[in-house]
Amino acid sequence: MDQNIFKKYSETYGTRFTNKQKAAFRKALIEDFKAIGYSHTIITGKKNLSRAVNLQFGNMKHAKNVVCVPYDTPQHIFWWKSEYYPLDGMTTSNKNLIPQFAPIVLLYMLLLALIYGSEGFIKDALGANLLFMLVSALIILLFYLMLHGAANRKNYVRNSASIVAAYEIAKSLNKDEQRTTAFLFIDRNKTRHLGAHIAAEDFLKQSRNPNVILLNCFALGSQLQIGYTAQNKKAALELSKHSGKEKLKTIALSDSMRTSTAMEHFAKAVEIAGGEIDDKGRLYVNNTATGRDCVIEEANIDCVIRMVSGYLKK
């Protein structure tokens, strides 16, 4: 793995939360992919008030395989515990209800306590004005956190390492292999995964049904797994053969597991993820969406690069 590239996309462009941050990242990635021989296409779409901007490298008219990476970064979770289940969207949603909303509820309770508890202390107009300004600021902050959230600053595992791996895979391909492979970086990877939805719609418009290889949170943990849709068990097994690991587990993803993930929108796809196993046998990653997402295991990244490159070169 190129350490300069990793530093670039984990630090310089490591936060991709606001539109400005995402635009700067896309510009940098376009330059790096252009240097290794790839043209790009920007694909945009809207749903309700949300807008997603996907970035594609390669020509979809000839692509048999699409390496797909969620490129935006999650909002910060103001909680001491964060568990992300990359292969199980329903479990992720359930596990994150308290970490995501409890801080907002606590802030609301603090606001109420401030309003009712200050009645006996306000003696003049100046004190009343100061209280009004403080309460107004807290209300604005509350609505901002509810509607938008705050950017998470460290995002090594989710998903800067995936971006670097995709670049390294792209760099390893020869001209013929580049012709049949596209690289897709998808936006808005939250709840309904608008970027993946737009990508799937774009495939339909072009009458294409490529094999999607989704890289998602594999850079830390003792376990690497490949989840697959019903149509893609064969691809998952073939990928695992190139990992260099004897027992790389492949898992059929049920409809509930695919719910609220990018995999929900792709009929023919596999997802490579890593982490640890919980007491119910489910793969999870600790500390994403927090400031502690700043540790990786290079062996995991190298394994994924080797595995996907070997599969694409077969």
Side-chain angles (χ1 to χ4, degrees):
M1 181 179 68
D2 187 325
Q3 293 297 326
N4 290 328
I5 289 292
F6 181 77
K7 185 175 181 180
K8 182 175 184 176
Y9 291 110
S10 63
E11 296 292 340
T12 308
Y13 301 102
T15 305
R16 302 170 294 275
F17 189 74
T18 66
N19 289 335
K20 183 178 180 180
Q21 290 167 342
K22 289 189 279 190
F25 158 77
R26 291 192 299 268
K27 181 179 178 181
L29 196 65
I30 287 170
E31 291 174 356
D32 284 333
F33 266 78
K34 182 180 179 181
I36 57 175
Y38 288 85
S39 60
H40 75 277
T41 305
I42 292 177
I43 304 165
T44 62
K46 291 183 179 181
K47 191 170 185 179
N48 299 326
L49 297 177
S50 297
R51 179 175 179 267
V53 181
N54 292 345
L55 182 57
Q56 176 186 298
F57 296 96
N59 192 335
M60 275 303 304
K61 291 182 179 179
H62 305 291
K64 297 178 181 178
N65 296 287
V66 176
V67 177
C68 183
V69 179
Y71 79 81
D72 63 329
T73 51
Q75 69 185 65
H76 186 80
I77 291 179
F78 296 93
W79 206 246
W80 62 83
K81 189 177 183 181
S82 170
E83 294 177 340
Y84 176 65
Y85 289 73
L87 299 179
D88 193 336
M90 188 63 71
T91 299
T92 294
S93 297
N94 293 336
K95 289 279 187 177
N96 280 282
L97 280 175
I98 291 177
Q100 187 170 352
F101 293 107
I104 296 174
V105 173
L106 291 173
L107 182 61
Y108 177 70
M109 293 174 65
L110 175 64
L111 180 62
L112 291 179
L114 181 64
I115 293 172
Y116 290 105
S118 61
E119 291 180 355
F121 298 96
I122 302 300
K123 303 298 184 181
D124 52 25
L126 177 61
N129 288 336
L130 290 174
L131 177 63
F132 174 77
M133 293 172 62
L134 179 59
V135 169
S136 298
L138 287 174
I139 290 174
I140 292 171
L141 176 61
L142 186 64
F143 274 99
Y144 181 85
L145 290 175
M146 289 176 62
L147 297 176
H148 188 67
N152 192 57
R153 299 299 178 186
K154 295 292 183 181
N155 306 283
Y156 285 24
V157 177
R158 185 174 167 200
N159 260 309
S160 296
S162 300
I163 293 166
V164 173
Y167 170 80
E168 295 285 2
I169 293 164
K171 189 169 65 171
S172 74
L173 303 181
N174 63 33
K175 292 295 183 182
D176 289 336
E177 293 155 354
Q178 287 183 12
R179 188 172 181 270
T180 58
T181 306
F183 292 82
L184 179 64
F185 297 83
I186 53 177
D187 191 13
R188 294 285 179 180
N189 295 281
K190 180 182 176 182
T191 312
R192 295 181 181 178
H193 290 259
L194 180 57
H197 173 72
I198 291 167
E201 285 190 334
D202 189 62
F203 292 163
L204 287 175
K205 288 177 184 177
Q206 299 188 58
S207 300
R208 303 292 296 167
N209 186 27
N211 176 43
V212 175
I213 303 172
L214 181 67
L215 307 182
N216 185 26
C217 280
F218 54 76
L220 185 65
S222 62
Q223 303 291 321
L224 282 176
Q225 295 185 355
I226 303 175
Y228 60 87
T229 59
Q231 297 183 36
N232 243 20
K233 181 177 181 179
K234 182 179 178 181
L237 292 173
E238 288 180 355
L239 264 168
S240 68
K241 293 177 183 177
H242 294 278
S243 68
K245 295 178 178 288
E246 291 184 6
K247 296 182 179 180
L248 186 62
K249 190 173 183 179
T250 58
I251 299 174
L253 302 181
S254 65
D255 289 344
S256 66
M257 293 171 74
R258 294 171 62 206
T259 298
S260 297
T261 73
M263 290 288 281
E264 181 179 11
H265 301 282
F266 300 122
K268 186 180 175 184
V270 297
E271 179 178 359
I272 302 172
E276 305 297 341
I277 305 299
D278 71 4
D279 55 3
K280 293 185 179 180
R282 301 170 300 191
L283 185 75
Y284 75 100
V285 188
N286 259 330
N287 298 328
T288 69
T290 74
R292 299 187 298 278
D293 185 5
C294 57
V295 179
I296 60 163
E297 295 178 31
E298 284 195 45
N300 283 19
I301 301 172
D302 291 339
C303 177
V304 171
I305 293 170
R306 179 176 63 251
M307 178 166 54
V308 178
S309 297
Y311 175 82
L312 297 173
K313 291 173 177 290
K314 69 181 187 300

